[in-house]
Amino acid sequence: MRRRWMGTLGLGTLALVPLLAACGSGESAAGAQEATAGKSWVVVANGSATPSPVVTGAKSTATPFPTGFLPLSSASPAPTPTGSLSCAPVKQNPINGATAVAGATSATVTWYHPGGGNLVDYRVTAISQDAMLGEQRDIGWTVVTPGEPCTFMSATVTGLDRDTRYTFSVDAVQTRPGFDGTYAKTVARTQVVSTTA
């Protein structure tokens, strides 16, 4: 029984020896030696120290006011109230100051007219608020000549679609002192208003 165990051990050892000899010899072992004997993977180069920053350009001076706020001059102009002595200012937001009452295909728009020497005219239009496919129909402008200042003015916009939601915009066309021509700006707008069916 002892002989058999030794015989089995002897055959196993003999089978492993050629395998181990093949792994440790040959070209693969020589290639591994050449790789370790070649150039280093990390290249270190000597550098130089970064120079310290140098201040160049204009020099600043400390402000005589330690808080950092500019002082108000004693001759600063006093604020002037808006409007005139004969025309009290309106106490509402002027851009939302227009109102509209809609019918089936028209609406009457009302807004405050403060006056002014450079005012040429007012132009009122309707802007549809209902989404639709394709290009929207252009309502056009209703031109209104300014009347007595400090009063409410009205204009009727026609050609509206039935059962449609609109906002109405009032633009003031004015001349610019010292310039040729005129310019327009929106001075009042309504909330969304629906025409009747």
Side-chain angles (χ1 to χ4, degrees):
M1 185 132 184
R2 204 170 194 200
R3 255 180 165 192
R4 272 191 184 171
W5 181 79
M6 288 295 279
T8 307
L9 179 64
L11 288 176
T13 308
L14 289 176
L16 281 176
V17 169
L19 287 175
L20 290 174
C23 289
S25 64
E27 292 181 18
S28 61
Q33 285 180 344
E34 285 178 19
T36 56
K39 293 184 179 178
S40 174
W41 288 16
V42 178
V43 178
V44 178
N46 291 334
S48 59
T50 304
S52 299
V54 178
V55 178
T56 60
K59 295 183 180 179
S60 62
T61 57
T63 176
F65 305 103
T67 60
F69 292 101
L70 294 175
L72 293 175
S73 64
S74 58
S76 61
T80 56
T82 58
S84 64
L85 294 175
S86 62
C87 187
V90 177
K91 295 189 184 230
Q92 61 184 356
N93 187 358
I95 200 67
N96 292 327
T99 59
V101 177
T105 59
S106 65
T108 302
V109 182
T110 305
W111 70 96
Y112 183 72
H113 166 54
N118 61 342
L119 183 63
V120 176
D121 57 33
Y122 287 105
R123 295 181 186 172
V124 185
T125 190
I127 305 161
S128 174
Q129 300 298 301
D130 290 342
M132 61 181 67
L133 291 174
E135 194 173 323
Q136 291 189 356
R137 190 168 64 81
D138 187 11
I139 302 298
W141 296 93
T142 302
V143 180
V144 181
T145 304
E148 190 67 29
C150 310
T151 58
F152 284 90
M153 296 190 67
S154 293
T156 301
V157 179
T158 59
L160 304 178
D161 294 327
R162 294 176 180 269
D163 197 23
T164 305
R165 298 177 307 142
Y166 289 98
T167 54
F168 297 88
S169 178
V170 180
D171 287 14
V173 179
Q174 300 172 330
T175 58
R176 211 178 313 202
F179 293 94
D180 291 336
T182 59
Y183 72 99
K185 67 177 182 178
T186 302
V187 293
R189 190 178 301 126
T190 68
Q191 301 293 328
V192 177
V193 177
S194 293
T195 54
T196 58

